[in-house]
Amino acid sequence: MRGKVACIVSVCCMVLLLGFGTAFAQQEIKIGVLIPLSGSMAVIGENLQMAHDFAAKEINDAGGVKSLKGAKIKLIYADTRGDPKVGMSEAERLIVREGVSAIMGAFQSSVSYTSTEVAEKYQVPYLVPNSLMDQITERGFKYTFRVERKGSYWAKDQIDFILDMGKKTGVQAKTIGVVYENTDMGQSIAKAIRKLAPEHGLKVVLDEGYPPKTADMTPVVLKMKRANPDVVILNSYISDAILLMRTIADQRVNTMALLGSSSGYSDPSFVKEVGKLAEYFFDLTEWTTDLKHSPLVAQKNAAFKKWTKDHRDFNGGAAFCYASTYILYDALEKAASTDPKRIRDALATVKITKGPAMIIPWTPIEFDAEGQARGARMLVIQYRDGQRKSVWPANIASTAPVWPMPKWEERK
Amino acid sequence: MTAGSVLPAACAVAAAALFPLVVRDPYFVHAAIMVLLFAYLATSWNILGGLAGQHSFGHSAFFGIGAYVSTILFIYYHVPPLVGMAVGGVVASVISIGIGYPCFKLKGPYFALATLAFTEIFRIVVTSTEQIGGIDLKGAAGILIPLQPGKSLLNFQFSGKTSYYYLILVMLLAILFVYRWMERSRWGLYLAAIRDNEDAARSIGISATRYKMIALAVSAFFGATAGTFYAQLLLYIEPALFSSAFSIEILLIAVVGGAGTLLGPFLGALILTPISELTRTYLGGGYAGVQLIIYGAVLVAVMMFAPQGLIVPLKRGWRLLAERRP
Amino acid sequence: MTGIIEAAVNGILMGGLYGLIAVSLSLIFGVAKIVNFAHGALLMVALFTVYWILELLKVDPYLSALLAGCFLFFFGYYFQRLFIEPILKREKDTAALTVILLTSGLMLIIENSALLLFGADYRTVRTAYTGKVWEVAGLYIMQPRLIGFVLSVVLIRLLEFYLRRTNFGRAIRATSQDREAARLMGIDDYRVYKVTFGIGTVILGFAAAFLTPFYFIHPAVGDLFVGKSFVIVVLGGLGSITGAFLGGLIVGLIESVGAQFINSAMVESLIFIVFIACLVIRPMGLLGKERE
């Protein structure tokens, strides 16, 4: 619906503009945004789209890009359908046809992986808010910048968290299971865990990839039950996350902890659909609404909640899209130009310490020579009373973790 | 070719050759390359689907094999893709015989479903295989092909899109000649006999399985070469190249244009490829899914009103026009 | 060992539902020789129908199937009447490929229209049965799955009874076996096709009602079941109701027990391999009749 309204409004605006001639025409900065808007990922894409739109609206309402005489940011969305091929040709279209000055996107690693290559070829800066595949920033590209932490570090954070919890509570995990959707993201985390876990004295007793579009998760859950790992690390999109969670509860699979890897487990519809079953579930994520490092977190989340039609909170992915839009805005102010090359140079030297981008919990935001955000770190949340409460690391956390999780039989 | 069709054919080729000189926008050149590539791919399907009447739902298997074979040879053994293309074609032909052996025992929808199952097996295995004997298949992530410093035909990498355009144009003309040649040869007659009535063909001593096998091998060979071209054009390959959805896309193009006709697949590509590109361009952002509804509606309309392919009413119209001329 | 038994029990329960979905496909495939690629989309329509009935009327999920059935019968009937019948009338014998492509087009239209209408949200319905588990000798059996399985068996017995004992049921079977002969006997074959399609869609309505208590609803949900359904239909034998149900159980078992031994990502290919092997070794399927 928002699309339709926006469309009607923009048509009206165009008519008005034509009517008044070009006297009121204002300079616009076109920014391409690649996200999945149809297919099974559409729900994720729509959520991210709102975050980008919200940031752009705030920036434009506050007077646009001042170094460019108040030029407004115009986001041009392109639907990748979650397909790396489509991502490539849409990136090319955004650059060549639409003439965008920069690109943000593309959620799925595989799509970011291929579409950044196109941007590199055309020398247009590409800011990646959410994709974690290591290689995205390991190809020596000059025009790719990633705000998110690398996938292999995710695995490291997850293991650190498990060890840390063991030390703090005395209930130490010895065995670990990894269950993942058999896609690039799942494979990439699983690969890192396979390598890292034994180095830290954790035995991998279950290593299970399941195909996308699995109709029944029970076989996987039964396998989990038999392997009986102390901690299970999960990586899923939404539908499989819902099915897995319900089946784990149905089969009464008790572990010290279930630890998700964001994505499906951080999506608003996950907790909405599984309800109480999500209680005590841990999730490694980039962000939560209760972070204490800055008052901006609560302010901006409240504003977003008010602005969205269904009054939703930011999730990690959306928060990063929001912050990324501001990072790009910062670069635009610095570059004072719509020339992609100059924006790229500005991005390479940003050092953000204030402004709405600081809803991300690390200062300053800056990129290393590879284009990877320096200091990027992850945190762990636990679902408590249906809320995502940050529990680790302790210095920015709002809540004390419950470790181990209570057994299913003991819950109400 | 009759004298009457030489002139329009020559005009069409000349127009195609001039296209990138007139249209310099790389976006349109890219779109044109995709049209020609799909026309090529659908024509390679047409060798089995049209000439022999075996409607394969697994053509993407060969496309994927071609893409993966040439890419692996290129990255790990530094074999130039032009050579890898030929090797990929031969590998696909050999594998196609293994697929054809069980599948040709089946008819109609059973053949369709079996070929579909084969390509899905390929997709699943490639998705789940990270490594095979020291060669990194990269599983679901797919393989990115490194850019080469030297631009050459042998390396299959060029600085501009135009070179790719002319290359695929030449490839398309070549496969159209092969198709025409096969259709007119003794093979083609046998295949037509098998297509129209397999039992009757067998009873007059035509070894149906053997001729279908030949058609399959040729079709697989060309399908695989398209895969190599695609890999070198996009410099990225992934297991989804093997997907059944992609197979159906290829088949749709051939059938919507007109299976079993020389220019049907080309016509299909000319219509369907731009539809999917344009609707995505103009509707993709705001109206998610509408582009697929339009695509579906075109498909339904063609199947309901011109099931023999759009080439049939087009030809009829052309003939009427020609007769009316003094 | 208990793990394997547990997996087998689950495989059978889930397989029963796969079987029911496949029975619907098999009926249409067997009688009208239509390869319906829109089957998954029809299942999705059935799921949304049940969903809205439950949301608006708050009835028991199993009761909702009856209400949904009334609507779905006509949906299926007119689906056949408007789109497939014209092609069958025109092309007679060679319609297989045309119908496959037509139904793929319809699948795209239906699924993406649902996406426009209902959005991409995942929906679930919390019913009285959701999340209820029976503990039997250390095995956890999920209530909605067991109820769904038992009702599926009952439904399939009823369907067989209908096909064998009623006049119209016999007409359906006669058309399935030899369309020309049936027509000579005065059976209106096109009417048989339409009613068969309607019945097939009603069965999907039941499958949807059985799934809803423990499943999610989404415009693309049909994709999860459709590939499997084709495998099951061929495995069980064209047009054989019991065969399709048995095929469902086998696929459920392979999926559930197979995953205990090899990676689940590869189990999917195992199902396709069994499928091709079955086609080659026993093309008439487990319970199918020899075909020409």
Side-chain angles (χ1 to χ4, degrees), chain A residues 4 37-38 79 81 83-86 88-90 92-93 96-97 113-114 117 139 182-184 187 191, chain B residues 25-28 30 127-128 130 138-141 144 161 230 234 236 238 280-281 284-285 287-289 291:
Chain A
K4 260 184 215 161
L37 289 168
S38 60
D79 179 13
R81 287 193 228 159
D83 181 337
K85 291 194 291 293
V86 178
M88 283 179 109
S89 58
E90 286 297 87
E92 186 156 48
R93 177 176 72 82
V96 176
R97 300 283 306 156
Y113 183 54
T114 58
E117 167 125 358
R139 291 170 291 175
N182 200 21
T183 54
D184 51 356
Q187 287 179 354
K191 207 157 120 190
Chain B
D25 187 333
Y27 174 72
F28 279 118
H30 179 82
T127 307
S128 315
E130 297 235 347
K138 299 229 164 81
L144 213 62
K161 292 255 155 164
Y230 176 89
L234 290 188
Y236 172 69
E238 53 166 339
R280 194 174 65 229
T281 304
Y287 301 89
Q291 72 269 37

Side-chain angles (χ1 to χ4, degrees), chain B residues 256-258 267 302 305-320:
Chain B
V256 165
L267 182 69
V302 171
F305 304 112
Q308 299 303 312
L310 291 172
I311 193 105
V312 177
L314 201 75
K315 268 187 178 161
R316 205 178 298 139
W318 174 256
R319 216 175 298 129
L320 281 177

Side-chain angles (χ1 to χ4, degrees), chain A residues 4 37-44 46 180 182 207-226 238-240 242-243 246-247 249-253 267 269 271-276 310 312 409, chain C residues 1-4 6-8 10-11 14 18 112 115 119-126 130-133 138-142 145 212-216 218 220 223-225 228 255-266 268:
Chain A
K4 260 184 215 161
L37 289 168
S38 60
S40 53
M41 304 293 159
V43 64
I44 298 177
E46 282 170 11
Y180 57 98
N182 200 21
D207 183 348
E208 185 76 355
Y210 60 84
K213 293 187 184 172
T214 299
D216 182 17
M217 283 295 171
T218 322
V220 175
V221 172
L222 290 175
K223 208 168 178 176
M224 191 192 288
K225 201 172 170 182
R226 276 200 308 151
I238 303 175
S239 59
D240 37 344
I242 295 171
L243 287 179
R246 284 180 154 196
T247 316
D250 285 345
Q251 290 293 340
R252 310 275 190 269
V253 181
D267 195 274
S269 48
V271 67
K272 199 178 103 213
E273 298 306 339
V274 303
K276 269 196 298 195
D310 54 353
R312 56 173 74 194
E409 293 85 346
Chain C
M1 195 55 211
T2 37
I4 306 300
E6 240 175 341
N10 172 68
M14 200 63 197
Y18 292 157
N112 288 289
L115 189 67
D121 291 333
Y122 288 84
R123 296 153 193 263
T124 56
V125 186
R126 231 159 300 237
T130 305
K132 292 275 164 46
V133 174
L139 303 186
Y140 293 108
I141 294 173
M142 297 171 218
R145 293 197 185 198
T212 306
F214 65 95
Y215 223 73
F216 63 86
H218 182 266
D223 299 355
L224 273 60
F225 293 92
K228 228 166 268 165
E255 195 180 81
S256 193
V257 179
Q260 307 305 313
F261 298 100
I262 58 173
N263 208 314
S264 358
M266 293 302 277
E268 215 186 355

Side-chain angles (χ1 to χ4, degrees), chain A residues 34 80 83-92 94-95 103-122 124 126 128 131 139 141 144, chain B residues 144 236:
Chain A
L34 288 164
T80 65
D83 181 337
K85 291 194 291 293
V86 178
M88 283 179 109
S89 58
E90 286 297 87
E92 186 156 48
L94 286 174
I95 295 166
I103 293 181
M104 291 186 280
F107 189 67
Q108 283 120 316
S109 288
S110 55
V111 185
S112 304
Y113 183 54
T114 58
S115 51
T116 43
E117 167 125 358
V118 175
E120 184 74 14
K121 203 168 80 187
Y122 285 100
V124 171
Y126 192 131
V128 183
S131 306
R139 291 170 291 175
F141 282 8
T144 304
Chain B
L144 213 62
Y236 172 69

Side-chain angles (χ1 to χ4, degrees), chain A residues 256-287:
Chain A
M256 281 180 200
L258 298 168
L259 176 55
S261 321
S262 229
S263 190
Y265 296 103
S266 66
D267 195 274
S269 48
F270 171 69
V271 67
K272 199 178 103 213
E273 298 306 339
V274 303
K276 269 196 298 195
L277 303 182
E279 248 1 51
Y280 307 112
F281 186 93
F282 290 101
D283 190 19
L284 183 83
T285 187
E286 54 275 75
W287 196 83

